[in-house]
Amino acid sequence: MEGGADMDREGLSSGAHLPVLLHEAVAALAIRPDGVYVDGTFGRGGHSRHILQALGPKGRLLALDRDPEAVAAARAWKQESGDARFEIVHARFSSLDEVLDAHGLTHIDGLLLDLGISSPQVDDPRRGFSFTGDGPLDMRMDPTVGLSAHEWLMQATVEQITEVLKRDGDERFAFPIAKEIAARRDQTDGQGIQTTRQLADLVAGVIRRRQKNSAKNPATRTFQALRIHTNDEGGELARVLNVALRRLATGGRLSVISFHSNEDRVVKQFIARHAGRDAERHPVTGAWLAEPLLKSLGRVLPGEAEVATNPRARSAILRVAERLPSVLH
């Protein structure tokens, strides 16, 4: 899929694909039968189903998703299964603080995040995530709020578009693509680029004039960058990690799967910072001045067999951390 950041999440039906690193990500939570866990990215329920299989009758699973279609699927499954241990909330995972408060929870025993977008999102042309079909240039994970990618491109300056394409897509030709987008806006009586096919063709035209025989679709990086920006994925991730630090109980686990180098860097640096690796040492004793709050449990990569079965797994990285007890006051 585009940019290596778009992922399968297993559906609740038997014919759905498995999420990448499914068993590893759930095992990393070290689930206690009576524990309280959060699946911050329900998708179509692949991780939630496996967490529930490990929970006992007194366990509890709270799932979040910002996509109304994913929430509808979860509610239908909840009604069909009648599983009282499971609850679904329509919310961004960055709002975890408010969600936990609303459910009377002070701490949780584990948080799982499967970053990126789900296959149902990318496979539906109406959502505007993919250049392989043609649909409205939307790209919002929650189509009920915020600006669509089309609406943002209609008001953004060339400089703003360039910055987003560079920062979130590592696009070498960000400036000429941004100029062409602005020019198209002026040439179409203010209509701009309205569909995914129009954007893909524009980007391909710009890049192919400058770079021949590229193996990757020329629009890959542009689509990735606009999706990340439209959904504020970087900000969402930073916010939920800070919430996790406050809300994980001692011994609680953080399990995060990422598919983009920028996302993985944020997770890696967050864990390192709170594991004390970024703190300064005392000039005399050499001890860390900062109190470590997390213990890094390392990273896991997909095996060769999984990558061979599902090429979408090739860029996946799972990072795991455990909440340490607080000893300073």
Side-chain angles (χ1 to χ4, degrees):
M1 284 191 184
E2 295 86 350
D6 305 332
M7 281 314 312
D8 266 345
R9 297 194 186 117
E10 182 186 15
L12 293 167
S13 64
S14 60
H17 293 98
L18 295 177
V20 169
L21 293 169
L22 167 65
H23 299 289
E24 294 87 346
V26 174
L29 293 174
I31 293 174
R32 296 190 298 104
D34 60 347
V36 178
Y37 296 87
V38 172
D39 179 355
T41 46
F42 179 81
R44 288 303 183 270
H47 293 112
S48 285
R49 184 173 70 179
H50 280 71
I51 293 171
L52 287 168
Q53 288 173 353
L55 282 176
K58 294 184 179 179
R60 189 171 179 184
L61 173 62
L62 187 63
L64 283 63
D65 208 295
R66 63 199 290 190
D67 187 336
E69 294 184 9
V71 173
R75 287 173 176 162
W77 176 79
K78 163 80 173 178
Q79 183 174 9
E80 180 180 346
S81 69
D83 195 329
R85 302 170 302 166
F86 174 76
E87 296 177 76
I88 180 69
V89 180
H90 181 203
R92 300 174 178 230
F93 53 56
S94 65
S95 65
L96 182 58
D97 255 337
E98 293 84 353
V99 172
L100 294 180
D101 287 344
H103 286 78
L105 297 170
T106 57
H107 292 89
I108 57 176
D109 297 298
L111 170 65
L112 188 150
L113 300 171
D114 183 8
L115 306 177
I117 55 177
S118 65
S119 288
Q121 289 171 328
V122 78
D123 291 342
D124 184 350
R126 297 174 305 160
R127 305 300 298 273
F129 287 108
S130 176
F131 47 71
T132 57
D134 192 20
L137 190 61
D138 195 309
M139 294 195 184
R140 288 172 295 176
M141 292 182 182
D142 184 349
T144 67
V145 297
L147 295 177
S148 68
H150 163 70
E151 291 169 330
W152 182 75
L153 288 175
M154 287 299 296
Q155 66 180 38
T157 65
V158 170
E159 292 75 20
Q160 289 170 330
I161 299 171
T162 300
E163 179 186 0
V164 166
L165 298 186
K166 285 182 177 179
R167 183 191 65 222
D168 296 327
D170 299 320
E171 176 53 68
R172 289 173 53 199
F173 305 108
F175 181 62
I177 291 172
K179 283 206 309 179
E180 189 69 21
I181 288 173
R184 182 70 59 86
R185 190 168 57 196
D186 296 337
Q187 295 164 2
T188 55
D189 296 326
Q191 297 300 309
I193 300 169
Q194 300 188 51
T195 70
T196 55
R197 183 66 52 78
Q198 289 172 350
L199 178 61
D201 289 346
L202 179 149
V203 174
V206 172
I207 291 182
R208 285 171 181 156
R209 290 197 297 268
R210 294 164 172 80
Q211 179 176 294
K212 305 298 182 182
N213 302 321
S214 174
K216 185 182 290 188
N217 188 298
T220 295
R221 296 181 184 277
T222 294
F223 271 68
Q224 172 184 287
L226 290 177
R227 188 205 84 219
I228 290 173
H229 175 75
T230 297
N231 296 286
D232 186 25
E233 294 179 34
E236 286 287 302
L237 178 58
R239 288 188 286 272
V240 74
L241 291 176
N242 284 319
V243 176
L245 193 67
R246 296 192 304 273
R247 294 292 200 153
L248 281 172
T250 297
R253 296 285 186 88
L254 175 67
S255 180
V256 184
I257 308 169
S258 60
F259 303 90
H260 183 265
S261 59
N262 288 347
E263 292 174 336
D264 179 59
R265 187 179 305 112
V266 170
V267 178
K268 177 182 178 180
Q269 292 177 350
F270 176 85
I271 294 173
R273 182 165 64 254
H274 293 288
R277 294 187 211 151
D278 286 354
E280 295 182 0
R281 290 182 181 273
H282 191 282
V284 176
T285 66
W288 296 114
L289 294 177
E291 175 195 14
L293 297 176
L294 293 175
K295 176 183 178 181
S296 174
L297 300 181
R299 69 172 188 171
V300 180
L301 303 177
E304 293 182 4
E306 183 169 13
V307 174
T309 303
N310 182 4
R312 298 168 178 175
R314 66 188 181 276
S315 60
I317 299 178
L318 166 66
R319 292 193 183 272
V320 186
E322 182 177 300
R323 184 64 162 88
L324 296 174
S326 180
V327 296
L328 298 180
H329 301 284

